[in-house]
Amino acid sequence: MTTTAPHRHRDTPGTGPHRVGLVAATAAGRRHARTLAAAWPHARLVEADGVADALRTAWTTCDAVVAFLATGAVVRVLAPLLGDKRTDPAVVVVDEAARHAVALLGGHAGGANTLAAEVAAMLDARPVVTTATDAVDLPGLDTLGWPVEGAVAAVSRAILDGEPVRLVADAVWPLPALPPNVHPGPPTGEHPQDGYRVLVTDRVVPVDDRTVVLRPPSLVAGVGSSRGVPAAEVDALLHRALADAGLSPASLRCLASIDVKADEEGIRATADTLGVPLRTWPAAELSAVDVPHPSEVVRAAVGTPSVAEAAALRDGGTLLVPKTASAMATVAVARHAPRGRLAIVGLGPGAADLRTPRAVAELRRAAVVVGLDQYVDQVRDLLRPGTRVLASGLGAEEERARSAVAEATAGHAVALVGSGDAGVYAMASPALEYADERIDVVGVPGVTAALAAAALLGAPIGHDHVYLSLSDLHTPWPVIERRVAAAAEADLVALLYNPRSRARDWQLGAVLATFAAHRPPQTPVGVVRNASRPDERVHLATLATFDPTVVDMYGLVVVGSSQTRLVGGRMVTPRGYRWRG
């Protein structure tokens, strides 16, 4: 399968492929602008005869503008140029001292709110965002990544004011958490024509001044054609087929075809105009799809009895528009069921500043958060109002994994959280044992306990190393013993998870004895307890002097290799086996 994927929406201005114009009038402003230009390849200082001309040039030639000017001056210059917030550039204004980055224009649609946060992070400033939904920590209806139609401002105001708003959806989609005053309503064909509504549908529906329609990416249009088909013909046929079926083109997920049409300009141009990817499949895969209207003529020409219907149904779904043809093109449309979203999030070792921005973003995107109660408590302040929390205690790992997958399979946006990295002795493995192709899975890496501990100890893992868990709850002790012996014989630095508990009070001593049989007695051993947390504790010793009783389940033990040394009170393992003194 091949895919070409144009962007439906703008990327983040600072980090995406779009142009950021920097405008400054003073030496300080130019200095701040150079800081951004050095960090962002697509940002440049806009030069002109005067600052007003530079600002106008940036407005007309860039996707976003960062102006190191007074807010009033920027408003006076740009006011005559304002057009539509959906197409105008984002504008962020930074003061002379770089204390504040103000999202002035294009907060949501243009990405100014995000850009203000990025600028602030680069300049050690404070982002100033006045968009109402952002101010009260609610997701804006125009920030969900889907096309939106109707009374966005009126319904957003109703949500902010706590008025009842009905969420009416044709299916369960992985939306972020919405506040409690947004509650489920009856199917779209049964709602009364009063009150505020958020409709989630791919169907063409009447819209009034109290209704917003979110267009989920539920439709796949299969397209076949003769060679050289004009884009106008493909576009007209597709829009006519959608209109006849009462379907919105804004809900198209992609166009799909046979791989020999991957370079068909008329089909590619139509996908580009719609802002959706073009996916193509080999004839052998399309011929395996059961379709209602196969054609032997088509099979003889391209090796499959169907192109349009088979491509629309290649990933499942329900055929809504059987193949319909024009002189040179054929289209068919299928509706695909929503796919839930499971983000498996590593929260890091405990400190908030060791939690990645991506982890925070996934927590705020989720409608359901699942995790160990003590880990969920660490991030409750990050969750949006209306987030459903499924927390449980120690020993319920399988239950948490099953719950998270079940919620995602039901169509929700779920974050399953764990400490450190979720893939290291944590929740990723048990969850993915149950997850199947019905859900999208996103892995969010985190700073592991081993990395946090190693940073506190010095540089103990500068060369080859191994992670070993000493817990025999899931692994028989004889297996653990063999792995420890192999690591000791291989002279690997060993990071020992779950090293000791009240029920397992002798195993750590046995493990250290195994390492001592293969390494000098002065080999450093370190233990870090609760790395990055308020009661953090670091202890250094050697294989000859280490006392296992100082260790509990909140600690991580690092056993050096034969080359590890103590240098300045820190564990250091050289990058080469030859010690560089």
Side-chain angles (χ1 to χ4, degrees), residues 2 49 57 111 124 126 154 159 218 241 289 311 327 360 368 370 383 386 406 409 453 479 493 498 517 540:
T2 58
D49 291 339
T57 299
D124 196 23
R126 175 176 294 181
I159 294 174
S218 56
V289 179
V360 174
V368 183
V370 183
L383 307 184
T409 303
V479 173
V493 174
N498 307 309
L540 274 171

Side-chain angles (χ1 to χ4, degrees), residues 12-33:
T12 301
T15 56
H18 299 285
R19 297 161 297 179
V20 180
L22 309 174
V23 179
T26 67
R30 288 177 175 274
R31 186 172 65 252
H32 302 320

Side-chain angles (χ1 to χ4, degrees), residues 127-465:
V128 179
V129 174
T130 58
T131 309
T133 49
D134 292 81
V136 296
D137 204 24
L138 295 177
L141 295 173
D142 55 351
T143 65
L144 302 180
W146 294 347
V148 58
E149 305 165 7
V152 176
V155 176
S156 296
R157 174 51 56 190
I159 294 174
L160 288 166
D161 290 345
E163 296 191 41
V165 177
R166 280 176 295 121
L167 176 66
V168 183
D170 290 337
V172 178
W173 286 90
L175 294 169
L178 295 171
N181 60 307
V182 181
H183 52 85
T188 51
E190 303 172 12
H191 57 75
Q193 297 298 316
D194 61 348
Y196 292 99
R197 297 173 294 151
V198 177
L199 308 184
V200 184
T201 181
D202 56 26
R203 294 184 290 138
V204 177
V205 293
V207 176
D208 54 35
D209 61 0
R210 293 188 164 203
T211 300
V212 160
V213 183
L214 291 173
R215 297 299 187 186
S218 56
L219 304 177
V220 174
V223 183
S225 75
S226 302
R227 181 60 68 182
V229 62
E233 181 175 340
V234 177
D235 185 80
L237 177 62
L238 176 57
H239 279 81
R240 184 167 68 251
L242 291 168
D244 289 346
L247 300 172
S248 170
S251 278
L252 281 171
R253 177 184 302 176
C254 66
L255 302 190
S257 191
I258 192 169
D259 58 2
V260 296
K261 296 298 179 183
D263 62 347
E264 187 65 57
E265 185 56 34
I267 298 176
R268 290 175 59 89
T270 301
D272 289 346
T273 299
L274 292 166
V276 299
L278 169 62
R279 304 179 71 193
T280 58
W281 305 94
E285 294 194 35
L286 295 181
S287 64
V289 179
D290 186 27
V291 297
H293 304 103
S295 168
E296 291 305 315
V297 173
V298 174
R299 185 196 298 273
V302 295
T304 172
S306 172
V307 173
E309 289 183 342
L313 291 169
R314 167 59 180 75
D315 289 329
T318 302
L319 192 65
L320 301 182
V321 179
K323 67 177 182 180
T324 181
S326 61
M328 298 181 69
T330 304
V331 302
V333 181
R335 176 184 287 143
H336 290 248
R339 294 173 62 84
R341 191 173 194 276
L342 175 61
I344 304 176
V345 180
L347 299 179
D353 60 353
L354 291 181
R355 190 181 303 138
T356 67
R358 188 175 299 181
V360 174
E362 288 296 342
L363 290 169
R364 296 176 63 75
R365 179 172 180 166
V368 183
V369 172
V370 183
L372 180 68
D373 46 15
Q374 59 184 282
Y375 299 151
V376 172
D377 288 343
Q378 292 177 18
V379 296
R380 283 187 185 272
D381 61 312
L382 300 175
L383 307 184
R384 292 191 185 275
T387 302
R388 186 154 49 94
V389 175
L390 303 178
S392 52
L394 286 168
E397 288 83 2
E398 185 171 352
E399 174 192 333
R400 286 193 289 276
R402 287 182 180 272
S403 296
V405 171
E407 291 287 344
T409 303
H412 300 295
V414 182
L416 175 61
V417 302
S419 67
D421 182 277
V424 180
Y425 301 124
M427 294 304 301
S429 179
L432 295 185
E433 288 187 45
Y434 300 114
D436 59 27
E437 68 282 352
R438 291 173 294 175
I439 63 175
D440 295 321
V441 176
V442 178
V444 181
V447 177
T448 65
L451 293 176
L456 291 167
L457 290 169
I461 55 176
H463 209 299
D464 296 341
H465 53 277

